Amino acid sequence: KAGVTQTPRYLIKTRGQQVTLSCSPISGHRSVSWYQQTPGQGLQFLFEYFSETQRNKGNFPGRFSGRQFSNSRSEMNVSTLELGDSALYLCASSLFLGGHTNTEAFFGQGTRLTVV
Amino acid sequence: AQKVTQAQTEISVVEKEDVTLDCVYETRDTTYYLFWYKQPPSGELVFLIRRNSFDEQNEISGRYSWNFQKSTSSFNFTITASQVVDSAVYFCALSEASNDMRFGAGTRLTVKP
């Protein structure tokens, strides 16, 4: 069974540009979450998508957005990049069972974004 | 508000020593989930264990064991007879009603041969 796949693995962008990161979840998983990891702030939740709908959102500015497609693949977009957006962006997929049953999340290897 | 504290920033041990990684959490919910993840240098977070708030049984998986104590809001992780391959950053995480996880700052474990 294939794991969570994130592309690209590495990315270098210039301030002011925008970037799109992609995540393919484990087959059968319909919940996809995104996290940002930086040395200063640690791992922070960005947003979660389930069945193409954003279910939950972390405390990030509107420059950070995402979407999920009917095949559960997800993309996140960051517009008007700032130096502080340099981070490892991790995607996680989980088998959401509905209600209040949080299952374990499986993570991809991440996309390391460097903004110069 | 939910919060996870991993007070140990870095731990260094010699191979075959036992080591315990501490995790203390705060939550107002009665239903919540606790997790441990391992992050090797390659970057991906590797799932180790999930525990829900109604299950206080300790768990052992090979050299790994977890001690969940609601009375002290702790979910500690012990590695017995540590090996060099255990070197990584270990994260404790908490989730409540929503599916997002609040992570601790992580503990960097170095196991020296």
PDB file of all heavy atoms in Angstrom, chain B residues 3 5 11-12 16 19 22 36 50-51 53 55 61 67 69 72-73 76 79 84-85 91 94 97 99 103 109:
ATOM      1  N   LYS B   3      -2.935  22.078  24.916  1.00  0.00           N
ATOM      2  CA  LYS B   3      -1.512  22.384  24.970  1.00  0.00           C
ATOM      3  C   LYS B   3      -0.752  21.108  25.259  1.00  0.00           C
ATOM      4  O   LYS B   3      -1.219  20.257  26.023  1.00  0.00           O
ATOM      5  CB  LYS B   3      -1.251  23.414  26.069  1.00  0.00           C
ATOM      6  CG  LYS B   3       0.182  23.881  26.185  1.00  0.00           C
ATOM      7  CD  LYS B   3       0.316  24.913  27.298  1.00  0.00           C
ATOM      8  CE  LYS B   3       1.755  25.329  27.485  1.00  0.00           C
ATOM      9  NZ  LYS B   3       1.903  26.292  28.605  1.00  0.00           N
ATOM     10  N   THR B   5       3.188  19.796  26.306  1.00  0.00           N
ATOM     11  CA  THR B   5       4.518  20.216  26.759  1.00  0.00           C
ATOM     12  C   THR B   5       5.466  19.038  26.787  1.00  0.00           C
ATOM     13  O   THR B   5       5.207  18.023  27.437  1.00  0.00           O
ATOM     14  CB  THR B   5       4.445  20.841  28.164  1.00  0.00           C
ATOM     15  OG1 THR B   5       3.560  21.962  28.139  1.00  0.00           O
ATOM     16  CG2 THR B   5       5.815  21.308  28.611  1.00  0.00           C
ATOM     17  N   ILE B  11      17.923  14.815  24.600  1.00  0.00           N
ATOM     18  CA  ILE B  11      18.401  13.750  25.487  1.00  0.00           C
ATOM     19  C   ILE B  11      19.465  12.972  24.740  1.00  0.00           C
ATOM     20  O   ILE B  11      19.297  12.645  23.562  1.00  0.00           O
ATOM     21  CB  ILE B  11      17.265  12.783  25.887  1.00  0.00           C
ATOM     22  CG1 ILE B  11      16.157  13.515  26.641  1.00  0.00           C
ATOM     23  CG2 ILE B  11      17.816  11.655  26.756  1.00  0.00           C
ATOM     24  CD1 ILE B  11      14.974  12.617  26.979  1.00  0.00           C
ATOM     25  N   SER B  12      20.543  12.663  25.446  1.00  0.00           N
ATOM     26  CA  SER B  12      21.604  11.855  24.858  1.00  0.00           C
ATOM     27  C   SER B  12      21.857  10.657  25.761  1.00  0.00           C
ATOM     28  O   SER B  12      22.025  10.825  26.976  1.00  0.00           O
ATOM     29  CB  SER B  12      22.874  12.689  24.695  1.00  0.00           C
ATOM     30  OG  SER B  12      23.901  11.919  24.102  1.00  0.00           O
ATOM     31  N   LYS B  16      21.835   0.849  24.522  1.00  0.00           N
ATOM     32  CA  LYS B  16      21.379  -0.151  25.499  1.00  0.00           C
ATOM     33  C   LYS B  16      20.823   0.480  26.768  1.00  0.00           C
ATOM     34  O   LYS B  16      20.279  -0.250  27.610  1.00  0.00           O
ATOM     35  CB  LYS B  16      22.464  -1.167  25.842  1.00  0.00           C
ATOM     36  CG  LYS B  16      22.890  -2.009  24.637  1.00  0.00           C
ATOM     37  CD  LYS B  16      23.894  -3.077  25.020  1.00  0.00           C
ATOM     38  CE  LYS B  16      24.347  -3.839  23.767  1.00  0.00           C
ATOM     39  NZ  LYS B  16      25.393  -4.828  24.063  1.00  0.00           N
ATOM     40  N   VAL B  19      15.464   4.902  28.135  1.00  0.00           N
ATOM     41  CA  VAL B  19      15.224   6.345  28.147  1.00  0.00           C
ATOM     42  C   VAL B  19      13.722   6.611  28.131  1.00  0.00           C
ATOM     43  O   VAL B  19      12.958   5.908  27.461  1.00  0.00           O
ATOM     44  CB  VAL B  19      15.910   7.024  26.938  1.00  0.00           C
ATOM     45  CG1 VAL B  19      15.431   6.433  25.609  1.00  0.00           C
ATOM     46  CG2 VAL B  19      15.730   8.526  26.960  1.00  0.00           C
ATOM     47  N   ASP B  22       9.163  12.519  28.204  1.00  0.00           N
ATOM     48  CA  ASP B  22       7.998  12.999  28.940  1.00  0.00           C
ATOM     49  C   ASP B  22       7.059  13.814  28.050  1.00  0.00           C
ATOM     50  O   ASP B  22       7.497  14.541  27.156  1.00  0.00           O
ATOM     51  CB  ASP B  22       8.442  13.872  30.120  1.00  0.00           C
ATOM     52  CG  ASP B  22       9.278  13.105  31.131  1.00  0.00           C
ATOM     53  OD1 ASP B  22       9.113  11.877  31.219  1.00  0.00           O
ATOM     54  OD2 ASP B  22      10.094  13.738  31.823  1.00  0.00           O
ATOM     55  N   TRP B  36       2.027   9.662  19.645  1.00  0.00           N
ATOM     56  CA  TRP B  36       3.478   9.847  19.591  1.00  0.00           C
ATOM     57  C   TRP B  36       3.919   9.593  18.150  1.00  0.00           C
ATOM     58  O   TRP B  36       3.456   8.634  17.510  1.00  0.00           O
ATOM     59  CB  TRP B  36       4.217   8.877  20.514  1.00  0.00           C
ATOM     60  CG  TRP B  36       4.344   9.378  21.922  1.00  0.00           C
ATOM     61  CD1 TRP B  36       3.534   9.093  22.981  1.00  0.00           C
ATOM     62  CD2 TRP B  36       5.360  10.237  22.431  1.00  0.00           C
ATOM     63  NE1 TRP B  36       3.979   9.721  24.116  1.00  0.00           N
ATOM     64  CE2 TRP B  36       5.094  10.442  23.804  1.00  0.00           C
ATOM     65  CE3 TRP B  36       6.490  10.868  21.869  1.00  0.00           C
ATOM     66  CZ2 TRP B  36       5.913  11.234  24.618  1.00  0.00           C
ATOM     67  CZ3 TRP B  36       7.287  11.653  22.671  1.00  0.00           C
ATOM     68  CH2 TRP B  36       7.005  11.828  24.030  1.00  0.00           C
ATOM     69  N   ARG B  50      -1.446   5.691  19.136  1.00  0.00           N
ATOM     70  CA  ARG B  50      -2.611   6.549  19.392  1.00  0.00           C
ATOM     71  C   ARG B  50      -3.325   5.984  20.604  1.00  0.00           C
ATOM     72  O   ARG B  50      -3.511   4.775  20.724  1.00  0.00           O
ATOM     73  CB  ARG B  50      -3.540   6.543  18.189  1.00  0.00           C
ATOM     74  CG  ARG B  50      -4.956   7.028  18.451  1.00  0.00           C
ATOM     75  CD  ARG B  50      -5.759   6.912  17.151  1.00  0.00           C
ATOM     76  NE  ARG B  50      -7.183   7.065  17.361  1.00  0.00           N
ATOM     77  CZ  ARG B  50      -8.033   6.063  17.535  1.00  0.00           C
ATOM     78  NH1 ARG B  50      -7.586   4.826  17.529  1.00  0.00           N
ATOM     79  NH2 ARG B  50      -9.314   6.286  17.700  1.00  0.00           N
ATOM     80  N   ARG B  51      -3.747   6.853  21.494  1.00  0.00           N
ATOM     81  CA  ARG B  51      -4.446   6.439  22.697  1.00  0.00           C
ATOM     82  C   ARG B  51      -5.620   7.380  22.919  1.00  0.00           C
ATOM     83  O   ARG B  51      -5.458   8.584  22.848  1.00  0.00           O
ATOM     84  CB  ARG B  51      -3.493   6.462  23.895  1.00  0.00           C
ATOM     85  CG  ARG B  51      -4.101   6.163  25.212  1.00  0.00           C
ATOM     86  CD  ARG B  51      -4.549   4.721  25.308  1.00  0.00           C
ATOM     87  NE  ARG B  51      -3.395   3.830  25.450  1.00  0.00           N
ATOM     88  CZ  ARG B  51      -3.257   2.718  24.736  1.00  0.00           C
ATOM     89  NH1 ARG B  51      -4.148   2.361  23.850  1.00  0.00           N
ATOM     90  NH2 ARG B  51      -2.212   1.948  24.939  1.00  0.00           N
ATOM     91  N   SER B  53      -8.780   8.950  25.359  1.00  0.00           N
ATOM     92  CA  SER B  53      -8.835   9.355  26.769  1.00  0.00           C
ATOM     93  C   SER B  53      -9.536   8.344  27.658  1.00  0.00           C
ATOM     94  O   SER B  53      -9.420   8.403  28.887  1.00  0.00           O
ATOM     95  CB  SER B  53      -9.524  10.719  26.887  1.00  0.00           C
ATOM     96  OG  SER B  53     -10.784  10.699  26.243  1.00  0.00           O
ATOM     97  N   ASP B  55      -9.010   5.114  27.506  1.00  0.00           N
ATOM     98  CA  ASP B  55      -8.214   3.908  27.592  1.00  0.00           C
ATOM     99  C   ASP B  55      -6.898   4.222  28.284  1.00  0.00           C
ATOM    100  O   ASP B  55      -5.945   4.668  27.654  1.00  0.00           O
ATOM    101  CB  ASP B  55      -7.960   3.357  26.182  1.00  0.00           C
ATOM    102  CG  ASP B  55      -7.171   2.065  26.214  1.00  0.00           C
ATOM    103  OD1 ASP B  55      -6.866   1.564  27.316  1.00  0.00           O
ATOM    104  OD2 ASP B  55      -6.856   1.560  25.128  1.00  0.00           O
ATOM    105  N   SER B  61       5.096  -2.288  23.006  1.00  0.00           N
ATOM    106  CA  SER B  61       5.290  -2.792  21.657  1.00  0.00           C
ATOM    107  C   SER B  61       6.786  -2.981  21.452  1.00  0.00           C
ATOM    108  O   SER B  61       7.510  -2.028  21.164  1.00  0.00           O
ATOM    109  CB  SER B  61       4.709  -1.801  20.636  1.00  0.00           C
ATOM    110  OG  SER B  61       4.977  -2.233  19.317  1.00  0.00           O
ATOM    111  N   ASN B  67       3.129   5.059  28.995  1.00  0.00           N
ATOM    112  CA  ASN B  67       2.467   5.158  30.284  1.00  0.00           C
ATOM    113  C   ASN B  67       1.527   6.351  30.259  1.00  0.00           C
ATOM    114  O   ASN B  67       1.962   7.498  30.267  1.00  0.00           O
ATOM    115  CB  ASN B  67       3.519   5.316  31.392  1.00  0.00           C
ATOM    116  CG  ASN B  67       2.896   5.360  32.769  1.00  0.00           C
ATOM    117  OD1 ASN B  67       1.695   5.183  32.932  1.00  0.00           O
ATOM    118  ND2 ASN B  67       3.710   5.583  33.785  1.00  0.00           N
ATOM    119  N   GLN B  69      -1.320   8.472  32.104  1.00  0.00           N
ATOM    120  CA  GLN B  69      -1.889   8.728  33.425  1.00  0.00           C
ATOM    121  C   GLN B  69      -2.731   9.996  33.363  1.00  0.00           C
ATOM    122  O   GLN B  69      -2.206  11.107  33.318  1.00  0.00           O
ATOM    123  CB  GLN B  69      -0.785   8.871  34.469  1.00  0.00           C
ATOM    124  CG  GLN B  69      -0.057   7.568  34.768  1.00  0.00           C
ATOM    125  CD  GLN B  69       0.761   7.643  36.053  1.00  0.00           C
ATOM    126  OE1 GLN B  69       1.152   8.730  36.472  1.00  0.00           O
ATOM    127  NE2 GLN B  69       1.016   6.504  36.669  1.00  0.00           N
ATOM    128  N   THR B  72      -2.294  12.778  36.158  1.00  0.00           N
ATOM    129  CA  THR B  72      -1.204  13.749  36.038  1.00  0.00           C
ATOM    130  C   THR B  72      -1.133  14.343  34.631  1.00  0.00           C
ATOM    131  O   THR B  72      -0.192  15.073  34.316  1.00  0.00           O
ATOM    132  CB  THR B  72       0.148  13.095  36.360  1.00  0.00           C
ATOM    133  OG1 THR B  72       0.326  11.948  35.510  1.00  0.00           O
ATOM    134  CG2 THR B  72       0.211  12.656  37.817  1.00  0.00           C
ATOM    135  N   SER B  73      -2.131  14.009  33.789  1.00  0.00           N
ATOM    136  CA  SER B  73      -2.164  14.506  32.403  1.00  0.00           C
ATOM    137  C   SER B  73      -0.834  14.240  31.698  1.00  0.00           C
ATOM    138  O   SER B  73      -0.229  15.127  31.082  1.00  0.00           O
ATOM    139  CB  SER B  73      -2.470  16.007  32.365  1.00  0.00           C
ATOM    140  OG  SER B  73      -3.748  16.265  32.876  1.00  0.00           O
ATOM    141  N   ASN B  76       3.776   9.386  28.841  1.00  0.00           N
ATOM    142  CA  ASN B  76       5.224   9.243  28.679  1.00  0.00           C
ATOM    143  C   ASN B  76       5.592   8.024  27.845  1.00  0.00           C
ATOM    144  O   ASN B  76       4.868   7.023  27.830  1.00  0.00           O
ATOM    145  CB  ASN B  76       5.903   9.154  30.042  1.00  0.00           C
ATOM    146  CG  ASN B  76       5.724  10.439  30.846  1.00  0.00           C
ATOM    147  OD1 ASN B  76       5.487  11.506  30.282  1.00  0.00           O
ATOM    148  ND2 ASN B  76       5.819  10.320  32.160  1.00  0.00           N
ATOM    149  N   ILE B  79      11.756   3.971  25.860  1.00  0.00           N
ATOM    150  CA  ILE B  79      12.453   3.055  24.953  1.00  0.00           C
ATOM    151  C   ILE B  79      13.416   2.237  25.807  1.00  0.00           C
ATOM    152  O   ILE B  79      14.264   2.797  26.519  1.00  0.00           O
ATOM    153  CB  ILE B  79      13.236   3.816  23.862  1.00  0.00           C
ATOM    154  CG1 ILE B  79      12.293   4.700  23.041  1.00  0.00           C
ATOM    155  CG2 ILE B  79      13.967   2.833  22.957  1.00  0.00           C
ATOM    156  CD1 ILE B  79      13.004   5.579  22.020  1.00  0.00           C
ATOM    157  N   VAL B  84      21.044   2.821  18.250  1.00  0.00           N
ATOM    158  CA  VAL B  84      21.423   3.999  17.469  1.00  0.00           C
ATOM    159  C   VAL B  84      20.300   4.403  16.508  1.00  0.00           C
ATOM    160  O   VAL B  84      20.041   5.591  16.283  1.00  0.00           O
ATOM    161  CB  VAL B  84      22.735   3.741  16.703  1.00  0.00           C
ATOM    162  CG1 VAL B  84      23.046   4.881  15.746  1.00  0.00           C
ATOM    163  CG2 VAL B  84      23.893   3.532  17.680  1.00  0.00           C
ATOM    164  N   VAL B  85      19.588   3.425  15.980  1.00  0.00           N
ATOM    165  CA  VAL B  85      18.494   3.712  15.029  1.00  0.00           C
ATOM    166  C   VAL B  85      17.321   4.437  15.678  1.00  0.00           C
ATOM    167  O   VAL B  85      16.433   4.930  14.984  1.00  0.00           O
ATOM    168  CB  VAL B  85      17.971   2.432  14.346  1.00  0.00           C
ATOM    169  CG1 VAL B  85      19.041   1.843  13.455  1.00  0.00           C
ATOM    170  CG2 VAL B  85      17.483   1.432  15.364  1.00  0.00           C
ATOM    171  N   PHE B  91       7.803  13.412  18.842  1.00  0.00           N
ATOM    172  CA  PHE B  91       6.744  14.377  19.126  1.00  0.00           C
ATOM    173  C   PHE B  91       5.562  13.704  19.789  1.00  0.00           C
ATOM    174  O   PHE B  91       5.118  12.631  19.365  1.00  0.00           O
ATOM    175  CB  PHE B  91       6.255  15.036  17.829  1.00  0.00           C
ATOM    176  CG  PHE B  91       7.261  15.950  17.192  1.00  0.00           C
ATOM    177  CD1 PHE B  91       8.097  15.483  16.189  1.00  0.00           C
ATOM    178  CD2 PHE B  91       7.350  17.276  17.586  1.00  0.00           C
ATOM    179  CE1 PHE B  91       9.020  16.322  15.592  1.00  0.00           C
ATOM    180  CE2 PHE B  91       8.273  18.126  16.991  1.00  0.00           C
ATOM    181  CZ  PHE B  91       9.111  17.638  15.992  1.00  0.00           C
ATOM    182  N   LEU B  94      -1.745  15.994  20.674  1.00  0.00           N
ATOM    183  CA  LEU B  94      -3.081  15.887  21.263  1.00  0.00           C
ATOM    184  C   LEU B  94      -4.111  16.354  20.253  1.00  0.00           C
ATOM    185  O   LEU B  94      -3.901  17.362  19.573  1.00  0.00           O
ATOM    186  CB  LEU B  94      -3.142  16.774  22.511  1.00  0.00           C
ATOM    187  CG  LEU B  94      -4.502  17.122  23.111  1.00  0.00           C
ATOM    188  CD1 LEU B  94      -5.111  15.914  23.796  1.00  0.00           C
ATOM    189  CD2 LEU B  94      -4.364  18.267  24.117  1.00  0.00           C
ATOM    190  N   ALA B  97     -11.941  17.439  19.644  1.00  0.00           N
ATOM    191  CA  ALA B  97     -13.107  17.141  18.817  1.00  0.00           C
ATOM    192  C   ALA B  97     -12.791  17.212  17.330  1.00  0.00           C
ATOM    193  O   ALA B  97     -13.321  16.442  16.539  1.00  0.00           O
ATOM    194  CB  ALA B  97     -14.242  18.099  19.161  1.00  0.00           C
ATOM    195  N   ASN B  99     -10.123  17.084  14.017  1.00  0.00           N
ATOM    196  CA  ASN B  99      -9.124  16.090  13.667  1.00  0.00           C
ATOM    197  C   ASN B  99      -7.704  16.650  13.641  1.00  0.00           C
ATOM    198  O   ASN B  99      -6.760  15.940  13.327  1.00  0.00           O
ATOM    199  CB  ASN B  99      -9.458  15.495  12.286  1.00  0.00           C
ATOM    200  CG  ASN B  99      -9.004  14.061  12.157  1.00  0.00           C
ATOM    201  OD1 ASN B  99      -8.797  13.374  13.143  1.00  0.00           O
ATOM    202  ND2 ASN B  99      -8.824  13.614  10.928  1.00  0.00           N
ATOM    203  N   PHE B 103       0.872  19.680  18.482  1.00  0.00           N
ATOM    204  CA  PHE B 103       2.109  18.982  18.781  1.00  0.00           C
ATOM    205  C   PHE B 103       2.911  19.672  19.873  1.00  0.00           C
ATOM    206  O   PHE B 103       2.872  20.900  20.009  1.00  0.00           O
ATOM    207  CB  PHE B 103       2.988  18.913  17.525  1.00  0.00           C
ATOM    208  CG  PHE B 103       2.538  17.905  16.505  1.00  0.00           C
ATOM    209  CD1 PHE B 103       1.588  18.234  15.562  1.00  0.00           C
ATOM    210  CD2 PHE B 103       3.071  16.628  16.497  1.00  0.00           C
ATOM    211  CE1 PHE B 103       1.169  17.307  14.620  1.00  0.00           C
ATOM    212  CE2 PHE B 103       2.670  15.691  15.558  1.00  0.00           C
ATOM    213  CZ  PHE B 103       1.713  16.028  14.627  1.00  0.00           C
ATOM    214  N   LEU B 109      16.310  12.910  20.528  1.00  0.00           N
ATOM    215  CA  LEU B 109      17.015  11.813  21.190  1.00  0.00           C
ATOM    216  C   LEU B 109      18.221  11.412  20.362  1.00  0.00           C
ATOM    217  O   LEU B 109      18.099  11.139  19.171  1.00  0.00           O
ATOM    218  CB  LEU B 109      16.076  10.607  21.356  1.00  0.00           C
ATOM    219  CG  LEU B 109      16.726   9.329  21.889  1.00  0.00           C
ATOM    220  CD1 LEU B 109      17.233   9.538  23.312  1.00  0.00           C
ATOM    221  CD2 LEU B 109      15.749   8.162  21.825  1.00  0.00           C
TER     222      LEU B 109
END
